[in-house]
Amino acid sequence: MSRILNIISSPRGAASNSIKLADAIIDRLKEQDPAAFVQVHDLTNKPFPHLEEAHLNAFFTPVENHTDSDKEAIKHSNDAIKEIMDADVLVIGAPMYNFGISSVLKSWFDHIARAGITFKYTAEGPVGLLTGKKAYVAVTTGGVYSSGPATGFDFVTPYIKTMLGFIGITDVTIVRAEGFAVAELQQTALDKGIDSIQL
Ligand SMILES: Cc1cc2nc3c(=O)[nH]c(=O)nc-3n(C[C@H](O)[C@H](O)[C@H](O)COP(=O)(O)O)c2cc1C
């Protein structure tokens, strides 16, 4: 039985296209493995905070020297990393906000990128430590970025691929549903995105 971690980063609940697209990916994964366990983590319910001094102190203090306040500051980071470690597959919903990812997703990345835990520095450069996993990213956008004049303005997919690769998750499939703000495309955008899913 595989474990799927579904990361939600849209606050729009049942109206969210990235949630619907991610759910369609999960449905397809469950066709392959009906017993798959799905852990849902909705980042919009209790967003990770911006990194504060207390978080950074805890990140860069050896575990054996952690004070009670370090332990408290690092708890949610540890929990989020454990969720990823426990998962075989990540399905991340990523709406585009102002050409990038939503701030709740950025904060999640800020709390899971930990030297010595999810990546390490070597003489050859950083090496990701969360290897052997697969990720699908459901990217939804108002405009069109897969082709045409706005291609260079998509900072969602390169950023997510870079961050996942940085922590060792290099097998990443991007699934797009795009054009929700384009009159001629918005009715079919989600179905086209769902139809494009390839596991
Ligand atoms: C605050 C905000 C900023 C947005 N910025 C962009 C943008 O820069 N480019 C774009 O193509 N669409 C943008 N959109 C449109 C969303 O990416 C699109 O509606 C997407 O489907 C939202 O995903 P969701 O339905 O899962 O919330 C923005 C939407 C919101 C609410």
Side-chain angles (χ1 to χ4, degrees):
M1 180 189 79
S2 61
R3 288 181 67 96
I4 299 168
L5 175 61
N6 178 206
I7 299 293
I8 290 173
S9 67
S10 167
R12 299 201 315 122
S16 160
N17 292 308
S18 58
I19 292 176
K20 289 178 191 162
L21 186 58
D23 283 349
I25 295 168
I26 292 167
D27 286 348
R28 292 281 303 278
L29 290 169
K30 290 197 77 168
E31 282 171 17
Q32 286 186 347
D33 180 5
F37 175 81
V38 183
Q39 167 89 40
V40 179
H41 187 153
D42 185 342
L43 301 176
T44 71
N45 279 343
K46 191 170 182 294
F48 287 85
H50 294 301
L51 288 180
E52 295 160 5
E53 189 181 15
H55 302 118
L56 300 180
N57 286 341
F59 286 0
F60 295 108
T61 301
V63 175
E64 57 273 21
N65 297 337
H66 273 174
T67 62
D68 285 348
S69 52
D70 288 331
K71 287 178 190 157
E72 181 61 28
I74 213 162
K75 181 179 181 311
H76 298 298
S77 166
N78 286 342
D79 290 348
I81 291 169
K82 181 166 188 319
E83 272 185 347
I84 303 172
M85 286 176 168
D86 288 347
D88 304 294
V89 182
L90 275 69
V91 180
I92 301 172
M96 176 183 280
Y97 280 179
N98 302 313
F99 304 105
I101 59 172
S102 65
S103 56
V104 292
L105 188 56
K106 173 65 166 61
S107 286
W108 179 73
F109 276 120
D110 285 343
H111 283 262
I112 63 169
R114 296 252 313 272
I117 311 275
T118 58
F119 71 94
K120 65 178 179 184
Y121 292 111
T122 72
E124 287 77 42
V127 173
L129 299 176
L130 303 183
T131 53
K133 301 179 191 301
K134 163 93 193 157
Y136 296 89
V137 187
V139 179
T140 55
T141 55
V144 173
Y145 300 85
S146 61
S147 62
T151 310
F153 300 119
D154 170 16
F155 298 99
V156 174
T157 52
Y159 180 76
I160 292 178
K161 276 186 172 176
T162 300
M163 284 305 299
L164 290 175
F166 184 61
I167 60 173
I169 304 172
T170 51
D171 185 355
V172 180
T173 298
I174 303 291
V175 181
R176 288 177 189 274
E178 53 185 354
F180 290 102
V182 180
E184 300 76 32
L185 302 177
Q186 58 193 190
Q187 298 303 328
T188 54
L190 182 62
D191 287 342
K192 279 177 71 175
I194 291 173
D195 288 346
S196 76
I197 297 170
Q198 287 186 331
L199 300 186

